[in-house]
Amino acid sequence: MKFISLTTMIMSAAVLAGIVTAQVPDGKPCAQTEQYECGRLAGYNRGYPFLFFCSSQNFVEVVKTCNCGDCCWVYKGGVGDDGYFGCTCFRNWWYWRAPP
């Protein structure tokens, strides 16, 4: 019985350590106000890129996490009639479109 509780304590400590070291990009500063961008952050999304919107206060708001190393893309800031963005292969560029 004592062995199980010690194992549980060690596993809990390891999980908490992982939570503390993982970085979340939401709320971090960004440069392109009111536009979509792609980013990478060590320790987030297994190193793969993520798609985010840069708010009017220049803070990151994650929109989608990508599942491959080169599939995040933004065209013309992702806004307006000609703006597109996505987290898929570029051949499927029509899959994601900026909201009107």
Side-chain angles (χ1 to χ4, degrees):
M1 191 70 149
K2 288 183 182 182
F3 178 74
I4 293 172
S5 61
L6 179 60
T7 303
T8 304
M9 288 174 43
I10 292 170
M11 289 174 53
S12 297
V15 169
L16 288 174
I19 291 171
V20 171
T21 59
Q23 295 184 21
V24 177
D26 282 325
K28 293 194 181 299
C30 54
Q32 305 297 322
T33 305
E34 300 284 327
Q35 293 190 32
Y36 291 87
E37 297 181 58
C38 293
R40 288 181 191 254
L41 184 62
Y44 181 74
N45 193 32
R46 298 175 294 156
Y48 291 142
F50 57 93
L51 180 66
F52 67 92
F53 184 74
C54 187
S55 72
S56 59
Q57 292 83 26
N58 289 83
F59 291 114
V60 170
E61 298 172 3
V62 173
V63 174
K64 184 170 179 63
T65 55
C66 301
N67 59 5
C68 62
D70 60 352
C71 58
C72 188
W73 55 272
V74 177
Y75 180 72
K76 292 192 176 181
V79 295
D81 291 338
D82 295 332
Y84 298 93
F85 56 88
C87 233
T88 59
C89 294
F90 192 75
R91 69 177 183 270
N92 296 329
W93 62 269
W94 62 88
Y95 184 73
W96 282 93
R97 181 171 168 93

